[in-house]
Amino acid sequence: MENAALIQTKDLVKIYPMGSHELVALNNVNLDFKKGEFAGLVGPSGSGKTTLLNIVGSLDSPTRGSAIVMGKKVEELSHKQAARLRNSHIGFIFQTFNLLPVYTVFENVEFPLLLLGFSPAERKRLVMEALDWVRLADRARSRPAQLSGGESQRVAIARAIVKKPAIILADEPTANLDAENSHNVLQIMEELNQETGTTFIFATHDEKVISYLRRKITLIDGRVVRDEVMTPERQPEAKAQAQAQAQAQAKPSPGRTEQAEETGGPGGTGTRGGSGGRR
Amino acid sequence: MKILFKLALRNLLGAGLRTWLNIAVLSFAFVAIIWTQGFYRGMSRQAIQALTDAEYGGGQYWHEQYDPFNPLTLDDAHGRVPEPLQKLIEERKATAVLIIQGTLYPHGRFLPVTVRGIDPAQGVLLFPSEFLETGDGNDAEIPAIIGSRMARSTGLKVGDTVTLRWRDARGAFDARNIRIVQVMSTTVQSIDQGQIWLSLDTLRSLAGMEGEATLITLAKGTPFLEEIPGWSYKSPDVLLKDIHDLVRSKTLGATILYIILILLAMLAIFDTQVLSIFRRRKEMGTLMAMGMTRLKIIQLFTIEGALHSVLAALVAAVYGIPLLTLSARSGWAMPQAVDSYGYAIGERIFPVYSAGLVIGTTVLVMLVTTVVSFLPTRKISRLKPTDALRGRMP
Ligand SMILES: Nc1ncnc2c1ncn2[C@@H]1O[C@H](COP(=O)(O)OP(=O)(O)OP(=O)(O)O)[C@@H](O)[C@H]1O
Ligand SMILES: [Mg+2]
């Protein structure tokens, strides 16, 4: 298939030792992500969204199982190899923006290109292009302290996209933004996804983010309990589901989780069909 | 690597005031160390020059009994000027000095002194011996020269007459009035403090030591002649050993002060590093997420710290070069109190800087700064990207 898996996890387990007992943050996670997806990990706090995103981003390694990213097994990568993988293929967007405060907007966006050894002329061209995407070309000389939250996150998006990575991982990208800025930022990411084919994976419990997703993966206690295709038409429905999910969190029933897991498998194929349907 | 330097410089300059404070302290230490070293080097050069000109010449032959630190030896420390040296004296390549003990009675006090005889016509030493020629046969008052310190401590002025008592070769005491014909200003204390200079011939006849001397000073540049029985040769280096030692210990003393200053600057940089590594965990996490390895981050932070010394050297050059040049040109006025150091210090010291001194100091400081900057970064080698992003430190 032209859409061979960009990211694949196999029986992924992450356990944190917590003194006497163990904390299972991810429990047998099996997921595939293909090029061009706009997917989100949702679920209650502590369900393992960030942990999964970090492993997929090769920032962390699994306790058991496997995470294959761009054909590389994350668990087998050395620190240096993992860094190279992130450097060339993965962009990160954080809840707290994480811009380098002493650098200008331009320099912040330029940073990944410096690491990749681009020439000054090429750096300038790519940075301005990325800043155009996020509509901040006129703020190239500003410092992060002079930007609003929405602007900061747009700079962070430009920084993630500037090297044209295959994958962008965004952990709660809207959690520090108001509604208007959230939509603004999400629209930009949606555009980028459609124009560049970059795969976006979010970790979020923000309804606004969820309403943009084309695939929603629900995690509870480190397990994938649901994996569903979303279409723009289905978005209101998705919202309703998320709300139901939030209620379910309060008193999770084993039966419900089981049922959700069953839908998890077909969900994967559903995505494939969904993406095919969109084309 | 080039990129790391660029990034490090950006970070450093971006940190603002704290960076400049560290740089200010370090650059001051730079300039101070170089200035001090140059100052003592200049001081030692001037002292050596003055001592060589006025006292040691190109080395001395001492009567074997002579010990400048034990005045009691003076009674026996005289002998006939040996033949080869006599020849040098006649060729004006050496001059004889006779030294005996005496007592001076200025203004009713009494003061043990060393009486020295020197040839008024000598040209070996920069010494105003020609004033002693004013002895016009007036036997009543013997012309004498004293130094300015001696003049100050005895209250004697040019034209004053004072009684001098001495013991001659046979051990008999005698006394005569001497007249101060000149107060010489010299930086060399050993020919000034407690010294009375008479004409050599006069002293010889007063002491009954015709043709004798205590030491013979060679003209500058005269090579070692030969071993002469009964006399011991002292090369300029041997004669200057004390001042070399003294300058070394003074330099060391001052350098220790500046080493402390450097240590303070290093402490500040170390502290800055520790703090910045602690505060910038999340930044490090972000850098790792963008694909920097821990090693690169360690290098980045080390370079960042080490750049303090590079910037400090540049800043030091900006104000240090004019300052040091100026002080080398116009000299540094010494306070009177410094006289008590006990050796020839000029009224103005002209510091002398060498390229070796400047480069050596710079390289040393840069090296130490780099080590100090590196030490706190070792923590990073255990830092996990996820922990860093969560603002945790191992
Ligand atoms: N470094 C760690 N050491 C120990 N436990 C950890 C560590 N990181 C995460 N955990 C635990 O693993 C579980 C999953 O954490 P994770 O951060 O992935 O949750 P999340 O779904 O992102 O939650 P949130 O929505 O609050 O961000 C949590 O119980 C958390 O406390
Ligand atoms: Mg999280």
Side-chain angles (χ1 to χ4, degrees):
Chain A
M1 271 221 154
E2 40 135 1
N3 271 348
L6 199 65
I7 298 166
Q8 192 173 29
T9 70
K10 286 185 190 157
D11 303 326
L12 198 64
V13 174
K14 181 71 182 181
I15 296 173
Y16 291 111
M18 297 286 285
S20 53
H21 66 289
E22 292 178 331
L23 191 142
V24 182
L26 291 176
N27 196 350
N28 282 311
V29 173
N30 288 289
L31 284 170
D32 281 9
F33 294 94
K34 280 153 210 76
K35 182 170 157 39
E37 286 205 45
F38 203 73
L41 309 171
V42 303
S45 183
S47 57
K49 305 183 292 291
T50 299
T51 305
L52 179 55
L53 217 55
N54 283 343
I55 291 174
V56 166
S58 76
L59 287 170
D60 207 350
S61 54
T63 309
R64 283 198 298 275
S66 184
I68 302 162
V69 179
M70 313 266 321
K72 305 234 161 53
K73 287 191 173 165
V74 168
E75 64 274 16
E76 287 173 3
L77 295 179
S78 67
H79 174 78
K80 204 172 161 182
Q81 289 167 327
R84 198 174 306 143
L85 175 69
R86 293 193 294 270
N87 191 195
S88 347
H89 301 300
I90 303 173
F92 287 88
I93 295 169
F94 306 96
Q95 173 178 348
T96 48
F97 322 138
N98 293 18
L99 299 179
L100 305 175
V102 302
Y103 292 7
T104 62
V105 164
F106 185 96
E107 287 164 347
N108 264 286
V109 178
E110 184 190 27
F111 197 94
L113 302 179
L114 277 175
L115 294 183
L116 285 167
F118 278 84
S119 74
E122 227 168 344
R123 291 203 301 265
K124 185 159 196 310
R125 185 179 65 77
L126 290 170
V127 170
M128 291 320 290
E129 192 181 298
L131 285 176
D132 270 336
W133 277 330
V134 299
R135 299 189 273 284
L136 279 174
D138 55 329
R139 302 301 300 271
R141 270 195 254 253
S142 306
R143 305 255 163 201
Q146 300 166 315
L147 302 177
S148 72
E151 287 167 335
S152 295
Q153 195 60 302
R154 274 146 65 195
V155 173
I157 293 170
R159 179 176 67 180
I161 199 78
V162 72
K163 61 189 178 188
K164 309 206 159 119
I167 303 160
I168 288 185
L169 304 174
D171 195 352
E172 316 271 12
T174 56
N176 284 4
L177 301 179
D178 59 27
E180 194 189 329
N181 276 308
S182 296
H183 281 294
N184 190 340
V185 156
L186 283 162
Q187 271 159 20
I188 287 172
M189 289 194 275
E190 191 175 48
E191 263 170 52
L192 283 169
N193 167 254
Q194 276 157 10
E195 283 175 28
T196 64
T198 309
T199 302
F200 278 76
I201 305 176
F202 297 86
T204 188
H205 28 222
D206 181 358
E207 287 304 331
K208 296 185 286 299
V209 178
I210 295 169
S211 71
Y212 283 79
L213 296 178
R214 292 201 302 275
R215 176 181 175 191
K216 187 172 101 178
I217 298 155
T218 309
L219 289 178
I220 290 178
D221 291 340
R223 286 174 184 274
V224 176
V225 296
R226 184 170 296 137
D227 185 348
E228 53 202 316
V229 180
M230 314 272 283
T231 57
E233 303 80 59
R234 276 186 61 189
Q235 274 175 16
E237 185 191 336
K239 273 183 199 167
Q241 271 183 0
Q243 271 157 13
Q245 195 69 64
Q247 280 161 7
Q249 271 169 41
K251 41 178 179 135
S253 73
R256 193 182 165 85
T257 308
E258 227 166 81
Q259 176 215 342
E261 264 174 359
E262 278 164 14
T263 56
T269 43
T271 309
R272 206 172 293 151
S275 68
R278 273 200 297 279
R279 291 221 166 109
Chain B
M1 213 52 177
K2 205 179 125 211
I3 287 170
L4 289 180
F5 273 95
K6 187 174 165 168
L7 296 177
L9 193 64
R10 259 186 209 171
N11 290 343
L12 199 58
L13 297 181
L17 188 63
R18 201 180 167 86
T19 299
W20 291 111
L21 274 177
N22 287 337
I23 288 174
V25 175
L26 198 54
S27 81
F28 176 71
F30 257 122
V31 174
I33 285 181
I34 292 171
W35 187 83
T36 313
Q37 300 272 347
F39 177 81
Y40 282 111
R41 185 183 291 245
M43 178 187 273
S44 120
R45 278 216 188 159
Q46 277 171 256
I48 287 167
Q49 184 76 40
L51 280 167
T52 307
D53 285 349
E55 191 178 8
Y56 295 147
Q60 293 178 331
Y61 278 93
W62 288 4
H63 186 271
E64 62 185 359
Q65 296 293 324
Y66 177 57
D67 175 358
F69 300 109
N70 182 359
L72 296 176
T73 62
L74 284 175
D75 286 346
D76 300 318
H78 53 87
R80 249 186 189 282
V81 176
E83 194 48 44
L85 294 178
Q86 188 56 45
K87 222 174 117 229
L88 277 183
I89 292 171
E90 276 152 23
E91 289 169 11
R92 310 190 116 265
K93 283 185 188 158
T95 192
V97 174
L98 179 65
I99 308 174
I100 65 168
Q101 285 193 84
T103 311
L104 199 66
Y105 294 87
H107 306 297
R109 292 188 291 138
F110 90 92
L111 184 73
V113 292
T114 305
V115 189
R116 295 184 180 231
I118 188 166
D119 179 5
Q122 66 79 29
V124 169
L125 297 174
L126 267 184
F127 186 91
S129 50
E130 65 274 12
F131 285 94
L132 296 170
E133 298 218 73
T134 48
D136 46 5
N138 175 4
D139 282 350
E141 289 176 344
I142 302 163
I145 296 176
I146 56 173
S148 50
R149 292 178 190 77
M150 182 69 169
R152 219 178 304 130
S153 62
T154 55
L156 292 170
K157 312 182 292 292
V158 172
D160 283 359
T161 300
V162 59
T163 305
L164 175 68
R165 187 165 166 268
W166 71 92
R167 215 155 72 128
D168 69 15
R170 288 177 306 281
F173 284 98
D174 201 349
R176 288 281 287 280
N177 276 349
I178 60 169
R179 186 163 45 87
I180 308 300
V181 295
Q182 175 70 6
V183 173
M184 64 176 170
S185 161
T186 176
T187 60
V188 182
Q189 289 204 30
S190 48
I191 62 168
D192 178 340
Q193 201 73 266
Q195 313 292 316
I196 303 282
W197 292 85
L198 308 180
S199 143
L200 179 62
D201 287 344
T202 310
L203 185 60
R204 277 172 172 170
S205 71
L206 291 179
M209 299 174 184
E210 289 304 333
E212 293 192 348
T214 304
L215 53 87
I216 288 104
T217 305
L218 305 178
K220 249 193 275 181
T222 311
F224 171 63
L225 194 64
E226 57 188 283
E227 290 294 350
I228 297 170
W231 296 77
S232 64
Y233 174 73
K234 308 283 176 189
S235 70
D237 278 347
V238 170
L239 293 170
L240 292 168
K241 185 179 175 298
D242 284 354
I243 188 153
H244 284 311
D245 289 350
L246 201 77
V247 167
R248 198 171 305 130
S249 80
K250 288 277 163 212
T251 313
L252 194 70
T255 306
I256 283 172
L257 203 77
Y258 292 118
I259 285 175
I260 291 172
L261 195 68
I262 290 263
L263 285 182
L264 281 180
M266 291 300 124
L267 207 68
I269 290 171
F270 185 84
D271 186 54
T272 303
Q273 286 287 92
V274 170
L275 202 78
S276 106
I277 287 165
F278 178 78
R279 273 200 313 218
R280 289 160 64 189
R281 289 156 302 185
K282 202 165 187 178
E283 179 182 328
M284 287 188 250
T286 311
L287 296 180
M288 287 192 210
M290 283 194 279
M292 260 179 122
T293 57
R294 284 188 282 249
L295 183 67
K296 278 260 158 65
I297 294 175
I298 287 174
Q299 287 172 352
L300 177 67
F301 275 73
T302 305
I303 293 171
E304 228 180 277
L307 275 181
H308 278 111
S309 64
V310 176
L311 293 181
L314 290 178
V315 170
V318 167
Y319 70 82
I321 288 175
L323 211 70
L324 296 182
T325 313
L326 189 74
S327 90
R329 279 224 195 100
S330 57
W332 186 266
M334 294 300 290
Q336 286 293 313
V338 179
D339 232 19
S340 55
Y341 273 6
Y343 67 104
I345 290 173
E347 283 164 4
R348 268 185 178 278
I349 300 293
F350 294 86
V352 176
Y353 313 105
S354 69
L357 169 68
V358 175
I359 294 169
T361 307
T362 311
V363 168
L364 188 77
V365 171
M366 284 182 182
L367 223 68
V368 176
T369 313
T370 308
V371 172
V372 161
S373 306
F374 167 70
L375 290 177
T377 66
R378 287 173 311 166
K379 249 194 172 151
I380 299 172
S381 65
R382 278 171 287 133
L383 184 63
K384 285 204 224 140
T386 45
D387 285 342
L389 278 169
R390 285 154 60 113
R392 291 224 208 124
M393 204 75 208

